Amino acid sequence: MNDRRFEQHHVDAWREDGFALIPDFFALGEIEPLRADFANLYGAYGDIDGVGQMMNVKAPGDIGKTNYKQFQHIDKLPYDGSAALNLISMHPALIEFAKALLDTPQVHCYQSHTWAKFTGEADFDQAFHCDFGNHTLLVPADEVRMRTVDFIFYITDVTDDLGALHYVTKTDAAKVLDPAEVMIPPERQQALKAMERSAAGPSGTLVAHSIDTVHRGTNLTRPNGHRYTMTVGYKAAGNDMIGFHVWQTGPDRPWNNVMDHASPEQLEVLGIPLPGDAYWTPRTLQLTQRRWPEWDMQAYFDAAR
């Protein structure tokens, strides 16, 4: 069933500006169950009073920097939560959007993590940066099929006083950045700040950005505020230049929360062959079923007959 939730202008914006925002990509009924999961995973941390006793005092004109406390409430797939939380990263509409953005018939989900932020737990204000440094040992490719897309989606409303991401389009960034510079020099920060835009949006919003889009995190200033988001990365299947999470390194994690509920198309983006693939032989079928006894593999057995 086609569940297209984007238009061509979103694809064009991502390719040209490195950024596209769709406020109503996920329906309320798809997002609400995830809030309960986040509350169970991180809610105990949300009782800090005030507006940020942990925030650094910056001199006038200073822009923030990255620090480890910004990333203290992050977990990766699979999650100790509901099937809805575990499958949202492989939502069919998200897979379809990734294929359109990367102009490829098959994609791989190589990153999925939850992220909770609370007012006062850290100074979340960052300098402008790009994300490719921890996604590839190279630099982003010119060919769109060799690139990667980072999705951020909002489980709660994300306003400017709740730490909305700020970004600079590729067109604007090119006005102040030297194309030969790999890293953003400190003296360019203020010029970029004058051009920044806010990615604020209601819960259910999807942000698609490129790993060479100039952006920064901002502080939560609302008293007792919190921000729940997820980050999911997609690349063309077979693109070995890009990586982040390696799913196979966590066999002791609750993978049954994914395996027992996902469709073959969803499992394919994690590297599991579709029914009918040459991998599925009588031996591999029987042993895989023994490893995951609650996984309904009927379609795989049927296709092998």
Side-chain angles (χ1 to χ4, degrees):
M1 184 174 112
N2 185 28
D3 188 21
R4 185 183 174 102
R5 303 186 183 187
F6 63 93
E7 302 295 338
Q8 183 60 40
H9 68 86
H10 296 122
V11 176
D12 296 339
W14 181 80
R15 292 185 184 173
E16 294 168 13
D17 291 334
F19 199 95
L21 188 148
I22 306 178
D24 55 354
F25 192 90
F26 291 107
L28 183 62
E30 294 169 326
I31 290 296
E32 277 189 331
L34 310 188
R35 293 193 197 123
D37 285 305
F38 270 75
N40 288 333
L41 292 169
Y42 305 113
Y45 298 100
D47 300 323
I48 294 179
D49 294 326
V51 295
Q53 65 269 31
M54 297 294 294
M55 293 179 187
N56 297 327
V57 177
K58 292 184 283 289
D62 278 359
I63 297 180
K65 60 183 179 180
T66 301
N67 65 80
Y68 77 95
K69 291 185 72 68
Q70 297 169 354
F71 308 98
Q72 59 187 316
H73 303 313
I74 286 182
D75 195 13
K76 73 172 184 177
L77 187 78
Y79 305 110
D80 187 13
S82 67
L85 180 65
N86 279 275
L87 297 186
I88 193 74
S89 301
M90 293 87 73
H91 193 289
L94 201 64
I95 295 173
E96 184 180 6
F97 193 19
K99 289 178 178 178
L101 292 173
L102 298 172
D103 190 24
T104 185
Q106 186 179 5
V107 291
H108 182 77
C109 179
Y110 73 96
Q111 179 189 44
S112 172
H113 63 243
T114 53
W115 195 352
K117 295 182 179 181
F118 300 96
T119 300
E121 281 207 311
D123 182 355
F124 295 105
D125 200 40
Q126 296 177 329
F128 287 104
H129 62 279
C130 298
D131 283 347
F132 66 85
N134 58 358
H135 291 247
T136 180
L137 294 175
L138 303 173
V139 297
D142 293 325
E143 170 59 46
V144 68
R145 296 188 188 191
M146 292 188 287
R147 295 178 69 84
T148 173
V149 55
D150 255 16
F151 292 122
I152 305 171
F153 41 95
Y154 302 168
I155 313 304
T156 55
D157 294 343
V158 177
T159 55
D160 280 321
D161 63 346
L162 290 175
L165 180 148
H166 285 188
Y167 68 99
V168 180
T169 66
K170 287 184 177 181
T171 302
D172 285 342
K175 298 173 183 176
V176 298
L177 294 178
D178 186 332
E181 293 172 333
V182 177
M183 307 303 292
I184 300 173
E187 61 269 22
R188 303 279 199 272
Q189 291 287 329
Q190 287 301 326
L192 291 169
K193 194 172 190 306
M195 300 176 173
E196 71 178 353
R197 308 183 189 193
S198 172
S203 63
T205 293
L206 177 72
V207 174
H209 75 90
S210 174
I211 56 174
D212 57 352
T213 302
V214 175
H215 67 284
R216 69 186 187 93
T218 66
N219 249 325
L220 283 75
T221 58
R222 184 185 300 183
N224 298 308
H226 67 279
R227 176 190 127 151
Y228 294 161
T229 62
M230 292 186 69
T231 301
V232 176
Y234 273 87
K235 63 180 182 177
N239 181 357
D240 293 334
M241 293 181 292
I242 303 294
F244 199 92
H245 296 313
V246 179
W247 308 126
Q248 295 85 347
T249 61
D252 57 336
R253 292 175 60 81
W255 277 107
N256 57 293
N257 291 339
V258 175
M259 305 296 293
D260 297 351
H261 302 284
S263 69
E265 291 74 22
Q266 290 174 308
L267 293 173
E268 183 191 22
V269 303
L270 297 178
I272 295 175
L274 286 170
D277 187 90
Y279 169 80
W280 297 114
T281 65
R283 185 189 69 87
T284 58
L285 285 164
Q286 292 170 9
L287 290 178
T288 302
Q289 185 71 90
R290 186 173 299 176
R291 181 178 181 182
W292 306 106
E294 300 303 315
W295 177 16
D296 181 1
M297 295 187 64
Q298 192 60 51
Y300 298 83
F301 280 95
D302 290 346
R305 292 195 178 107

